[in-house]
Amino acid sequence: SLVAVHEACQSLRSGECDAAVVGGSGLILGPEAAVSLSRFGMLARDGRCKTFDASADGFGRGEGCGVVVLKRLADALASGDRIRAGVRGSALNQDGRSTAMTAPNGLAQREVIRDALAAGKVHAEDVGYVEAHGTGTPLGDPIEVEALAEVLGSGSRPCAIGSIKSSIGHLEAAAGVAGVIKAVLVLEHEAIPPQVHFRKLNPHISLEGTRLFVPTEVTPWPRGEAPRFAGVSAFGFSGTNAHAVIEEAPRLPEEDSARDGAMILA
């Protein structure tokens, strides 16, 4: 579904459409997928995604759906739409089918994040939060964090990393749009929630010398003079990698609700 977000943005930019309804759904309708994933050793014994944690032993499956409506900013402003956030830039790449589904390609992840930043003309140090793919696998998480550290880890301002999968499970086809929705809410509420099921950092992950951190309590992220940006990552079994840079909603002048004279209260 993060690929769908990227494709919708491309269609809007090229003028193929004026509005796009983008979403994904993940439902568990039979036992076959769970049996297959269990045989590969990919599912957590307790059914929970323990992203970035030392106890991570696989992911827990979840069910759900998510939908966002995308429009060009000028059109949304002209229509008086409520704007929750903006997609500043996005990118895709494909590194070929992975030899091990829990071992993603770190080089491809670095490339897709850099491409998304370049597409949005956003500096890496301006990203203050990353909604990681973060399935909670002991090998996949360190590879992803290493890629994030190389591209986004430099700078003096802290950057939080988290994953909604620890809260609602891995929604599979809907995981990407779920990450987008969380990033939008983080920007909207000006706060980053703590990472669920995180107690001790995976020993194969090192954040030392970087500006990255895993939040363990609600972390305020207030608006400032400069716009805030959040990154969203999603990586597929097939080798597809996607990343989007989400920007806070623009500040709009407040309408003057004061009126002279008598008013009717309905």
Side-chain angles (χ1 to χ4, degrees):
S1 48
L2 193 59
V3 173
V5 170
H6 171 78
E7 297 291 352
C9 290
Q10 298 296 86
S11 294
L12 286 163
R13 290 191 176 99
S14 67
E16 293 176 343
C17 67
D18 294 322
V21 180
V22 184
S25 63
L27 297 174
I28 301 172
L29 302 177
E32 293 82 8
V35 170
S36 177
L37 292 168
S38 295
R39 287 176 175 172
F40 277 106
M42 297 182 64
L43 296 183
R45 290 181 176 86
D46 59 4
R48 295 175 175 177
C49 297
K50 300 174 283 294
T51 307
F52 311 134
D53 195 76
S55 64
D57 59 348
F59 65 87
R61 303 182 73 202
E63 293 183 296
C65 64
V67 178
V68 295
V69 178
L70 302 178
K71 296 177 73 173
R72 288 182 290 271
L73 179 59
D75 292 343
L77 291 171
S79 301
D81 297 327
R82 180 182 179 185
I83 301 172
R84 312 292 294 261
V87 182
R88 183 62 178 266
S90 59
L92 303 177
N93 67 21
Q94 231 287 351
D95 56 58
R97 185 173 180 178
S98 176
T99 55
M101 290 188 288
T102 58
N105 188 315
L107 294 176
Q109 290 181 9
R110 292 173 176 83
E111 181 181 338
V112 77
I113 296 169
R114 290 192 179 103
D115 288 347
L117 291 169
K121 298 180 180 179
V122 175
H123 296 293
E125 58 268 27
D126 291 333
V127 176
Y129 173 71
V130 176
E131 174 62 19
H133 185 65
T135 54
T137 56
L139 185 58
D141 285 357
I143 293 174
E144 181 178 7
V145 173
E146 185 178 355
L148 290 171
E150 183 165 325
V151 180
L152 302 172
S154 299
S156 57
R157 288 175 290 179
C159 177
I161 56 175
S163 173
I164 196 173
K165 291 180 179 66
S166 289
S167 299
I168 63 174
H170 194 330
L171 302 193
E172 297 164 9
V177 74
V180 169
I181 292 170
K182 180 185 172 184
V184 170
L185 291 172
V186 164
L187 289 165
E188 194 171 72
H189 290 282
E190 302 182 40
I192 301 167
Q195 184 62 30
V196 178
H197 307 316
F198 178 78
R199 295 176 177 82
K200 182 180 179 182
L201 189 66
N202 184 321
H204 300 293
I205 295 176
S206 175
L207 300 179
E208 188 176 353
T210 77
R211 65 190 188 100
L212 304 180
F213 72 97
V214 181
T216 56
E217 58 185 6
V218 176
T219 304
W221 192 23
R223 278 180 175 265
E225 293 299 321
R228 295 165 302 149
F229 298 97
V232 181
S233 288
F235 311 123
F237 284 163
S238 65
T240 298
N241 304 295
H243 190 82
V245 179
I246 310 298
E247 181 178 6
E248 66 181 27
R251 294 186 179 183
L252 303 177
E254 294 184 5
E255 294 184 1
D256 185 4
S257 60
R259 292 179 172 84
D260 296 329
M263 298 177 63
I264 297 176
L265 175 62

